[in-house]
Amino acid sequence: MKPLKIFFKITKTGNGKFLATKNEVNNLIVDLINRNPSQSSSALREIAIKELNSSPPAQQVLKTNENFFIDRVTDIEVVITYLPQEKTLSEQFYTQWRYVQISAPYRLVQYLDETRIVVYSEKTKVLHTIKLDKTVTVIVDEV
């Protein structure tokens, strides 16, 4: 019997104001708003989605994950809300984003329980115990 090849699908979400922070995705969106100050919220949203999908620096940020090697990013969504009644510039834009990371392949070794599995990484040649939660799901490669 051949070992089962699996991937992890990791959903990342976040939100922020029009401020530079530790969150690099928020900083990419803030920088985009700064470069296009006269655009409407809907135009900024379209520009943000296009840039996050195609810009190499943005892709590098989106592929960052502390627990997994990420092969690709899909389903990028951005919402930018403009609040003109707010007095300070940092309060005038509220951003929200979501994207899905697809990990490099792993080999399933063992299910420990509903929330933990043991996998083998071809990249590191090491066994890893992975804790599953609502943001991490397992995808089986049926090839």
Side-chain angles (χ1 to χ4, degrees), residues 66-82:
E66 40 199 55
N67 299 321
F68 300 97
F69 296 108
I70 302 300
D71 272 356
R72 67 185 193 281
V73 177
T74 62
D75 300 332
I76 298 171
E77 184 57 69
V78 176
V79 175
I80 299 172
T81 306
Y82 176 58

Side-chain angles (χ1 to χ4, degrees), residues 103-115:
S103 76
Y106 292 84
R107 287 194 318 215
L108 179 64
V109 175
Q110 181 180 8
Y111 266 97
L112 297 176
D113 59 34
E114 292 115 21
T115 61

Side-chain angles (χ1 to χ4, degrees), residues 59-140:
Q59 281 291 302
Q60 185 176 353
V61 168
L62 297 180
K63 287 182 178 179
T64 302
N65 189 302
E66 40 199 55
N67 299 321
F68 300 97
F69 296 108
I70 302 300
D71 272 356
R72 67 185 193 281
V73 177
T74 62
D75 300 332
I76 298 171
E77 184 57 69
V78 176
V79 175
I80 299 172
T81 306
Y82 176 58
L83 305 165
Q85 70 277 13
E86 296 295 334
K87 302 221 184 301
T88 61
L89 186 61
S90 65
E91 301 286 327
Q92 288 184 348
F93 289 95
Y94 181 73
T95 61
Q96 297 171 285
W97 61 88
R98 178 190 58 79
Y99 57 96
V100 175
Q101 296 175 320
I102 306 297
S103 76
Y106 292 84
R107 287 194 318 215
L108 179 64
V109 175
Q110 181 180 8
Y111 266 97
L112 297 176
D113 59 34
E114 292 115 21
T115 61
R116 294 181 310 142
I117 62 174
V118 178
V119 295
Y120 176 76
S121 169
E122 296 289 343
K123 283 193 176 192
T124 63
K125 307 289 187 218
V126 174
L127 289 174
H128 300 275
T129 301
I130 306 295
K131 184 171 178 8
L132 303 174
D133 61 25
K134 65 181 180 181
T135 65
V136 179
T137 54
V138 177
I139 302 170
V140 176

Side-chain angles (χ1 to χ4, degrees), residues 1-101:
M1 188 168 163
K2 202 167 122 185
L4 197 57
K5 186 158 81 171
I6 63 170
F7 299 88
F8 293 97
K9 182 176 167 183
I10 304 104
T11 304
K12 298 286 211 167
T13 59
N15 58 58
K17 294 183 180 182
F18 186 56
L19 294 168
T21 65
K22 291 181 187 175
N23 187 297
E24 292 186 54
V25 177
N26 185 66
N27 293 344
L28 288 170
I29 296 170
V30 166
D31 185 48
L32 180 122
I33 293 169
N34 280 330
R35 289 193 320 261
N36 300 282
S38 61
Q39 299 289 332
S40 68
S41 292
S42 59
L44 286 169
R45 175 186 170 272
E46 293 299 321
I47 295 167
I49 291 171
K50 182 179 177 197
E51 189 164 307
L52 291 174
N53 273 309
S54 60
S55 159
Q59 281 291 302
Q60 185 176 353
V61 168
L62 297 180
K63 287 182 178 179
T64 302
N65 189 302
E66 40 199 55
N67 299 321
F68 300 97
F69 296 108
I70 302 300
D71 272 356
R72 67 185 193 281
V73 177
T74 62
D75 300 332
I76 298 171
E77 184 57 69
V78 176
V79 175
I80 299 172
T81 306
Y82 176 58
L83 305 165
Q85 70 277 13
E86 296 295 334
K87 302 221 184 301
T88 61
L89 186 61
S90 65
E91 301 286 327
Q92 288 184 348
F93 289 95
Y94 181 73
T95 61
Q96 297 171 285
W97 61 88
R98 178 190 58 79
Y99 57 96
V100 175
Q101 296 175 320

